[in-house]
Amino acid sequence: MNSGLQGRTAIVTGGSKGIGKAIAKSLALEGANVVICARALEPLISVQKEIDERGGSALAVAADVMKPEAVQKVVAATIDKFGGMDILVNNAGGAGKFGGFFELSDEDWLEAYKLNIMSAVNFVRYSVPWLKKSKHSRIINISSISGIQPGYYNPHYTVTKAAMINLTKVLSNQLLKDNILVNVVCPGPVHSYSWEKYIQDTASMHGLPVEEVRKRIEIEEASKIPLGKVGEPEEVAELVTFLASDKASWIAGSCFHVNGGKLHTMC
């Protein structure tokens, strides 16, 4: 892709595995400087090495994105290393505890909100002063198909993913005057860290072997998808890279679905 991303700088939260890792590698392949953050440093260093070995430029910063001071640290490290920033990808998120509505505590709901929403809110707060200085500013939020089409479990997660879609529109309305383009991507079932955690949690809940549960869930989920397969992180990353590029210069406040046709509505 002739994306025009050469020399631009992107922060990708939750960049050590799954979709975040794929996004970071895709952006780096197009020539962007990529800052990746997550709680654990070792997996981040591994991704940084992968990018470096392919001739890319990456910086790993260990940070708990639920803490505002850690978010400030990531942004400060980005500016110190690269002198500015152009792209923010709010990918960090998760369900925390697995469960149904009546199995979740107040703390479970608040934890999900802090991880999935407040992390993005704080990254936007601390990044916007720098994004305003760029001529190619992008904020790309990662939500989920469950934000529009929830299932039976993890309502604390699905509600926050719906909130992420709404937050994206709010930010787009607010930031267009500064030429900051804000969009949201909603993946369907993807082979990622969250997918693996779902399998592990389901196996634990029902007292079944993990491999048995993995095979059953794979078959069940694939049967719900018109294209007949669970997605791969790279299939999400390619869309994010497009939205970060010059080719998406007239796209703002939009919601994009990557789900193999699973979504039962057009929007």
Side-chain angles (χ1 to χ4, degrees), residues 161-178:
K161 288 303 182 180
M164 179 65 96
I165 296 168
N166 190 280
L167 175 63
T168 298
K169 195 64 178 181
V170 169
L171 291 173
S172 180
N173 293 341
Q174 182 75 31
L175 297 175
L176 270 177
K177 68 181 186 300
D178 298 306

Side-chain angles (χ1 to χ4, degrees), residues 238-259:
E238 289 297 322
L239 174 57
V240 174
T241 300
F242 167 74
L243 291 173
S245 77
D246 288 342
K247 295 179 181 294
S249 61
W250 205 56
I251 301 176
S254 296
C255 180
F256 293 87
H257 298 284
V258 189
N259 55 59

Side-chain angles (χ1 to χ4, degrees), residues 69-98:
E69 62 273 19
V71 174
Q72 283 184 292
K73 170 188 168 184
V74 175
V75 175
T78 301
I79 304 308
D80 184 61
K81 175 72 173 179
F82 297 113
M85 65 177 293
D86 308 278
I87 302 155
L88 170 63
V89 182
N90 284 309
N91 168 74
K97 179 181 176 180
F98 178 89

Side-chain angles (χ1 to χ4, degrees), residues 98 153-154 192-204 213 216-218 220-221 224:
F98 178 89
Y153 291 103
N154 300 331
S192 64
Y193 172 76
S194 296
W195 172 265
E196 185 61 28
K197 187 175 186 303
Y198 172 61
I199 290 170
Q200 298 282 345
D201 288 343
T202 302
S204 177
V213 172
R216 175 171 60 82
I217 289 177
E218 185 83 22
E220 287 179 356
E221 288 301 321
K224 301 173 187 175

Side-chain angles (χ1 to χ4, degrees), residues 105-126:
S105 67
D106 288 359
E107 289 72 24
D108 295 327
W109 283 87
L110 292 171
E111 190 83 355
Y113 190 79
K114 286 172 62 179
L115 175 57
N116 294 302
I117 296 300
M118 289 311 300
S119 65
V121 167
N122 283 316
F123 264 101
V124 171
R125 281 174 173 162
Y126 296 122

